[in-house]
Amino acid sequence: MSWAVVARKDFQDAIRSRALWGLSAIFLLLVVGIAVLYATVDAVAQEPSALGLIFFVASSIGTFVSVAAIVICYKSIAGERESGSMKILLSLPHTRRDVIVGKVVGRTGVLAVPIVVALLVGAFVGTALLGSVAPVATVLFGLVGLLFALTYASVMVGLSATTGSTTRAAALAIGFLLVFEFLWDVVVLAVVYVANGFVFPVGAADFPAWVYPISQIPPSSAFVTSLTAIIPDAPAQGGTVPAPDAFDAFFATPWIGVVALLVWTVVPVALGYLRFLNADL
Amino acid sequence: MTAIELERLTKQYGEITALDGVDLTVEEGEIFGFLGPNGAGKSTTIDILLDFVRPTSGTARVFDMDAQAETLSIRRRIGVLPDGFQIYERLTGRQHVQFVVESKGVDDDPMAVLDRVGIADAADRKAGGYSKGMRQRLALGMALAGDPELLILDEPSTGLDPAGAREIREIVRTESQRGTTIFFSSHVLSQVEAVCDRVGILRAGELIAVDSVEGLREAAGVETRLKITVDELDDGDADAVRALDGVSRVSVEGTRLTVAVSDGAKTAVLNALESRGVTVRDFETDESSLEELFLSYTEGSA
């Protein structure tokens, strides 16, 4: 359980990051603001419900976790290599795998703190204003939220493990955010545009079914979609690409979001580990 | 058993050869000084022992275990003070040592360790606020925690004042008395000269000499200067000394003789003077420092 020792040390270290606390404070205000907005302004939701609130908050959690994960994790491996603290860490009886696993777990724990706090506060405010609570949905929301935190921490630690330069690690992390979160809608539309013979899609019928899984590649999208799969009676969520029930294909299911999260959790960090394993420090 | 064994150890970074076929054996219980100018390959050697870096060819063994294949077993038995390390700015000194204790699965008291390296009063302060010397002490404490069988110290005196450097030497001697093997890497010669049983000199990736400090002196042909003050002196006395075996130079300044002599011939010089009726009032020897010796090796003039 050597990784657990690394994870604990890493959590103690990273939880003291001022940037994390700044971000978390903003995030908490955001969640409370959203909850109040949702519950009190008619133009936002005609029939506000505790379940509706969860999905209303979900996308801001997605954005918060992706940005916070970058701030907290981009230096996790590269920074220790660059500064030389890795020399202390690896002169102790830890394998490089222990270090990677410990980092992923430790930083997930750090991300989990603001998520859980915001969730509890959001649930409290929501209950106070709406007079109703969705306990099962809230707990499931929290669990999927933690999986999502693990996914992002894993991706970012994996990227950080590929390099000994924090500048390069930062570039990789920001590049990931740009391509897979902010620009992905454009990528999907471009793919559909080409596939349709250089015609932009107008209605749901213009989207081929295989576009749906592609649209679920961004971890934030996969997170929201996972929520619709896991939380009972959840409203289907559609964005640029229609909700899955618009397609007639076995893979057009919200569970594809869970698959995407799991793939993101495993693959990048495994590749980063292989790179780290063979690196001269 | 040998503590460290390097065989034909070679490391190339692209076109640059950091280590070139280094053979070295360090016995258990020894204090071994690993000497060389910066960039000679000392840190690369240590990095290979710790599996931070993989050799291009050759092998490195610690306690008869392969440095690459049995990394964890090795790390459990050694304590390391790395060169160019960084502490965790946001953790306290105590948390640092606690981390080592947990990592090694030992039950040392972190406070006792910090006390030993002289920073117990700063135990609960964040290490980010430590001075360079305190960081070095903290790292030394982390290396000592868990009572390792082999201590690898890479430039341990960095950032320390002379008193701090002397404390390090004392800790090294104490550890050695407990039976710990010490691999002491440094470019500061006086540090190594003062504590080490044997010394290896590395230059441009090649181990050019391994011997005791005295042995190195002899091998390099460095002589002792004998300064003798006498009551009276004439030319015949100086010539008599000059004629002795092992004496290479004699210069006279009033009643003071300076004689360059090999180690074994000191007494012969004094005897020769006294047998000629010269009274020796005072004499001192001025041994060449390892500094000169080291330069004579690394600059290639020896």
Side-chain angles (χ1 to χ4, degrees):
Chain A
M1 296 295 272
S2 171
W3 61 265
V5 177
V6 177
R8 208 161 77 83
K9 191 276 307 169
D10 203 54
F11 179 82
Q12 285 179 334
D13 184 27
I15 197 80
R16 286 174 172 79
S17 153
R18 292 219 179 90
L20 169 73
W21 289 110
L23 265 177
S24 300
I26 294 170
F27 174 58
L28 193 61
L29 288 176
L30 194 72
V31 168
V32 172
I34 286 172
V36 171
L37 202 70
Y38 177 82
T40 56
V41 180
D42 284 348
V44 176
Q46 274 86 35
E47 290 174 49
S49 69
L51 192 61
L53 175 61
I54 284 176
F55 281 92
F56 204 70
V57 170
S59 65
S60 56
I61 290 225
T63 309
F64 167 74
V65 170
S66 56
V67 172
I70 288 186
V71 172
I72 294 167
C73 302
Y74 85 97
K75 283 206 280 193
S76 56
I77 302 286
E80 287 219 25
R81 278 172 70 180
E82 195 173 82
S83 76
S85 54
M86 189 63 83
K87 288 186 174 188
I88 287 185
L89 192 52
L90 279 179
S91 72
L92 297 170
H94 304 295
T95 61
R96 294 190 190 192
R97 191 180 61 205
D98 294 330
V99 169
I100 297 263
V101 174
K103 288 275 175 195
V104 171
V105 174
R107 306 274 155 145
T108 302
V110 171
L111 276 174
V113 173
I115 292 177
V116 170
V117 170
L119 197 67
L120 291 176
V121 173
F124 178 77
V125 172
T127 308
L129 294 174
L130 295 170
S132 73
V133 66
V136 175
T138 305
V139 168
L140 289 174
F141 183 45
L143 291 177
V144 179
L146 292 181
L147 170 63
F148 180 52
L150 171 68
T151 302
Y152 245 106
S154 181
V155 168
M156 289 302 150
V157 170
L159 290 177
S160 192
T162 60
T163 173
S165 143
T166 50
T167 315
R168 194 172 300 169
L172 285 170
I174 292 168
F176 181 89
L177 192 71
L178 279 181
V179 173
F180 288 107
E181 297 289 0
F182 298 150
L183 295 177
W184 197 252
D185 274 355
V186 178
V187 171
V188 170
L189 281 179
V191 167
V192 175
Y193 173 72
V194 172
N196 283 358
F198 301 96
V199 177
F200 273 111
V202 184
D206 294 339
F207 286 91
W210 52 260
V211 170
Y212 185 70
I214 293 179
S215 74
Q216 295 308 311
I217 288 176
S220 301
S221 307
F223 164 60
V224 175
T225 306
S226 298
L227 289 174
T228 66
I230 289 171
I231 295 178
D233 306 322
Q237 304 287 311
T240 309
V241 173
D245 39 18
F247 301 106
D248 180 24
F250 77 93
F251 50 77
T253 152
W255 290 98
I256 203 92
V258 180
V259 174
L261 285 186
L262 293 177
V263 170
W264 278 123
T265 304
V266 174
V267 175
V269 77
L271 296 177
Y273 167 63
L274 286 180
R275 188 80 189 263
F276 181 54
L277 184 65
N278 296 310
D280 279 348
L281 301 178
Chain B
M1 193 164 56
T2 55
I4 295 175
E5 196 173 11
L6 310 179
E7 265 177 40
R8 311 291 312 146
L9 195 63
T10 299
K11 176 66 187 179
Q12 281 171 319
Y13 292 102
E15 294 291 293
I16 299 157
T17 303
L19 284 179
D20 192 4
V22 171
D23 288 303
L24 175 67
T25 304
V26 176
E27 297 297 336
E28 238 179 323
E30 251 190 307
I31 306 182
F32 188 86
F34 199 45
L35 210 53
N38 291 326
K42 301 190 301 293
S43 287
T44 302
T45 307
I46 291 173
D47 284 349
I48 290 174
L49 289 174
L50 300 173
D51 194 37
F52 293 169
V53 162
R54 281 65 188 248
T56 308
S57 66
T59 56
R61 301 180 73 78
V62 178
F63 296 126
D64 222 24
M65 295 182 284
D66 186 84
Q68 283 178 269
E70 293 159 283
T71 316
L72 273 197
S73 315
I74 292 174
R75 287 181 188 162
R76 280 193 196 100
R77 294 169 64 179
I78 65 178
V80 184
L81 171 57
D83 183 33
F85 67 90
Q86 178 60 265
I87 42 87
Y88 296 101
E89 307 259 332
R90 294 184 291 227
L91 297 183
T92 65
R94 189 205 296 263
Q95 283 172 321
H96 276 85
V97 179
Q98 185 65 37
F99 174 56
V100 175
V101 165
E102 284 170 20
S103 296
K104 289 192 160 178
V106 292
D107 56 2
D108 287 35
D109 172 15
M111 282 311 290
V113 173
L114 291 171
D115 191 42
R116 204 163 160 218
V117 292
I119 51 169
D121 51 344
D124 292 314
R125 273 168 48 199
K126 283 188 187 171
Y130 283 13
S131 68
K132 185 83 184 66
M134 289 166 80
R135 288 165 191 237
Q136 196 71 18
R137 284 163 186 267
L138 174 58
L140 177 65
M142 293 168 78
L144 293 173
D147 200 11
E149 294 165 60
L150 168 65
L151 261 181
I152 296 180
L153 308 176
D154 197 357
E155 302 285 359
S157 322
T158 308
L160 296 177
D161 55 18
R166 194 171 58 238
E167 277 177 61
I168 295 241
R169 291 197 295 270
E170 277 158 21
I171 288 175
V172 164
R173 285 197 192 96
T174 313
E175 284 298 309
S176 174
Q177 278 157 16
R178 289 175 166 191
T180 311
T181 310
I182 290 143
F183 190 76
F184 192 129
S185 167
S186 183
H187 71 282
V188 184
L189 311 153
S190 53
Q191 281 279 317
V192 167
E193 186 178 24
V195 290
C196 293
D197 302 322
R198 281 199 311 149
V199 174
I201 298 179
L202 198 65
R203 182 184 64 189
E206 288 182 67
L207 197 61
I208 52 175
V210 183
D211 207 337
S212 63
V213 173
E214 297 75 42
L216 282 177
R217 251 196 206 109
E218 240 164 65
V222 186
E223 294 171 316
T224 304
R225 266 197 301 277
L226 198 56
K227 290 178 181 167
I228 310 167
T229 312
V230 296
D231 56 348
E232 272 182 286
L233 196 65
D234 60 42
D235 288 350
D237 299 328
D239 287 336
V241 171
R242 217 166 262 134
L244 291 170
D245 276 348
V247 173
S248 57
R249 269 187 333 265
V250 178
S251 59
V252 180
E253 236 180 284
T255 56
R256 201 173 144 114
L257 277 158
T258 304
V259 184
V261 64
S262 64
D263 272 357
K266 278 186 265 186
T267 334
V269 171
L270 297 176
N271 289 344
L273 286 172
E274 287 185 347
S275 70
R276 288 178 64 90
V278 179
T279 308
V280 174
R281 288 210 177 123
D282 189 22
F283 75 93
E284 54 182 283
T285 59
D286 176 15
E287 285 182 37
S288 68
S289 72
L290 193 56
E291 184 89 37
E292 288 169 46
L293 179 73
F294 175 63
L295 290 176
S296 76
Y297 269 106
T298 55
E299 287 171 358
S301 59

